[in-house]
Amino acid sequence: LKEATIVKIKQAQDLKELNQIRVETLGKKGPITEVLRGMKDLSAEERPKVGSFANEIRDLLTQEIEERKAVLETAAMNEALEKETIDVTLPGRSVKQGTRHILTQIMEEIEDIFVGMGYQIVEGYEVESDHYNFERMNLPKDHPARDMQDTFYISEEILIRTHTSPVQARTMEKHDFSKGALRMISPGKVFRRDTDDATHSHQFHQIEGLVIDKNVTMGDLKGTLEVVMKKMFGEDRQIRLRPSYFPFTEPSVEVDVSCFKCGGSGCNVCKHTGWIEILGAGMVHPNVLEMSGIDPEEYSGFAFGLGPDRVAMLRYGVNDIRNFYQNDLRFLSQFKGE
Ligand code: DAH
């Protein structure tokens, strides 16, 4: 039994087989246990002899099994390691990296320009009241110019803002003029009940600008916008102001920038006039100042509203505004940014 079992142990190919041999020889139903169990039938003389012999064999076999087990375990471990080795020479799979949305890039670029000129950035509310969106911007309930901005109303008094101008009123009423002038811009989403097409989107963006101080003039407005437009569209740009109408400014102007080269195949920025309309602006209406608790005799200011969507379309020759909102990566990933 001893010799045969040792041979079997040595030949065991894996841990499972080895365990089976252990159970067969040393287990409860195995021959050695049987011998030890049968001792009670032996004479007192035979008992110690048989007992120690059986124990000796049991110890020997146990040791053999342990040794073989160690060998098999090492082998199994080596095999596992071999299998799990990573082949570092395989070519990698590249991880797709996103880009910041082109409109985000443009808004951050414009924010940087204004922050450099000492403006603070103010966040407004996308859900606004009729009061701030219209009344406080000098657009009372029956004002015909309300038709210029078809509005998504949530209730009679609550709406989603049609422009970023309400942030003007919210900022003016809070500003402490004993600490100096108010200079702010406010970028964000705005909403209008338009049917979407190549040039209309029910959601788009604006950047509102506002400066209030003593003795602010139209010259300050023009000078400021000229600096900004040069930074955005190139140092050789010029701007011109055309008279216009907004209820919250008096006088009101539309601002054009001189033609610039844009990129992209659909680029047709400079068709005939040599000028491109880029934003609306004006001197803050005395009514607007007064409603925000500012004395129009003492203070004056200018304001402007700029469309980042339009800037992006002009600059990159994008001829359909819907591209910005459809999240097609083939479009968006063209604008890698820095
Ligand atoms: N709120 C205007 C609009 O949505 C844009 C605008 C024009 C803003 C003139 C201004 C401004 O602050 O002075 O059409």
Side-chain angles (χ1 to χ4, degrees):
L1 172 81
K2 186 179 94 182
E3 304 299 334
T5 308
I6 290 176
V7 170
K8 266 209 239 166
I9 292 170
K10 289 208 160 40
Q11 283 173 352
Q13 286 306 304
D14 56 38
L15 291 165
K16 203 172 147 202
E17 192 183 335
L18 186 67
N19 192 45
Q20 210 172 335
I21 296 169
R22 187 183 61 78
V23 172
E24 275 167 17
T25 47
L26 304 177
K28 276 192 196 119
K29 288 178 185 156
I32 293 177
T33 314
E34 211 165 285
V35 169
L36 291 170
R37 213 180 271 146
M39 295 246 291
K40 61 181 188 304
D41 303 326
L42 297 176
S43 68
E45 271 160 52
E46 281 171 315
R47 222 177 272 169
K49 280 189 207 152
V50 172
S52 71
F53 182 64
N55 278 337
E56 202 177 296
I57 291 186
R58 190 188 59 193
D59 292 347
L60 182 82
L61 291 179
T62 304
Q63 198 192 333
E64 287 287 338
I65 286 171
E66 286 306 316
E67 274 170 26
R68 184 68 190 153
K69 192 174 163 197
V71 171
L72 288 175
E73 272 174 354
T74 313
M77 168 95 82
N78 284 339
E79 195 188 339
L81 285 175
E82 190 93 359
K83 255 197 241 160
E84 287 165 21
T85 309
I86 292 166
D87 182 354
V88 292
T89 64
L90 275 176
R93 244 172 277 167
S94 66
V95 179
K96 279 229 169 126
Q97 201 180 9
T99 57
R100 283 181 313 149
H101 196 284
I102 178 58
L103 294 178
T104 307
Q105 292 182 40
I106 290 204
M107 287 194 284
E108 287 180 0
E109 180 188 325
I110 296 171
E111 285 168 27
D112 283 349
I113 294 173
F114 280 101
V115 166
M117 301 194 306
Y119 286 60
Q120 53 169 319
I121 297 175
V122 179
E123 287 234 24
Y125 303 119
E126 287 173 9
V127 177
E128 258 299 0
S129 59
D130 184 279
H131 177 73
Y132 279 101
N133 194 84
F134 289 126
E135 307 259 340
R136 290 283 293 273
M137 298 319 291
N138 204 26
L139 278 150
K141 285 247 152 56
D142 54 357
H143 200 289
R146 280 198 179 205
D147 296 348
M148 285 161 73
Q149 304 183 356
D150 217 345
T151 310
F152 285 117
Y153 277 94
I154 292 171
S155 68
E156 216 169 297
E157 266 307 309
I158 307 295
L159 45 79
I160 42 180
R161 67 181 178 190
T162 57
H163 54 177
T164 44
S165 299
V167 188
Q168 287 189 27
R170 290 190 176 276
T171 314
M172 274 188 268
E173 68 187 10
K174 271 191 281 192
H175 188 75
D176 179 359
F177 282 92
S178 69
K179 297 208 169 101
L182 166 58
R183 286 186 201 87
M184 71 94 179
I185 58 164
S186 184
K189 290 192 188 84
V190 299
F191 309 87
R192 300 224 183 139
R193 271 183 58 176
D194 281 325
T195 306
D196 291 358
D197 63 23
T199 53
H200 295 84
S201 171
H202 61 281
Q203 178 203 297
F204 58 105
H205 294 80
Q206 286 187 340
I207 298 180
E208 195 74 18
L210 177 69
V211 172
I212 308 278
D213 201 359
K214 289 178 178 158
N215 306 315
V216 177
T217 68
M218 199 93 178
D220 296 318
L221 170 64
K222 189 171 184 196
T224 302
L225 292 179
E226 196 170 305
V227 169
V228 173
M229 292 303 131
K230 281 177 190 281
K231 286 203 165 121
M232 281 171 61
F233 297 110
E235 281 304 319
D236 48 351
R237 290 291 77 71
Q238 291 169 294
I239 64 165
R240 76 173 182 187
L241 309 186
R242 276 181 296 109
S244 183
Y245 172 76
F246 299 103
F248 28 86
T249 44
E250 183 58 38
S252 302
V253 291
E254 250 152 309
V255 182
D256 295 344
V257 61
S258 60
C259 273
F260 54 87
K261 259 192 127 60
C262 54
S265 54
C267 205
N268 58 354
V269 157
C270 294
K271 266 191 288 195
H272 11 258
T273 60
W275 295 93
I276 308 144
E277 186 197 323
I278 204 86
L279 50 78
M283 301 306 291
V284 179
H285 198 292
N287 289 354
V288 173
L289 292 174
E290 222 155 31
M291 280 187 278
S292 295
I294 296 169
D295 181 359
E297 297 293 333
E298 195 181 356
Y299 288 94
S300 58
F302 65 75
F304 57 86
L306 185 133
D309 303 70
R310 189 167 156 71
V311 171
M313 288 174 84
L314 291 172
R315 204 195 257 181
Y316 300 108
V318 176
N319 46 32
D320 193 328
I321 192 172
R322 291 170 292 192
N323 282 318
F324 297 130
Y325 301 103
Q326 286 167 339
N327 286 334
D328 185 338
L329 289 179
R330 289 168 301 181
F331 173 78
L332 295 177
S333 63
Q334 296 177 92
F335 307 99
K336 287 266 183 273
E338 313 80 58

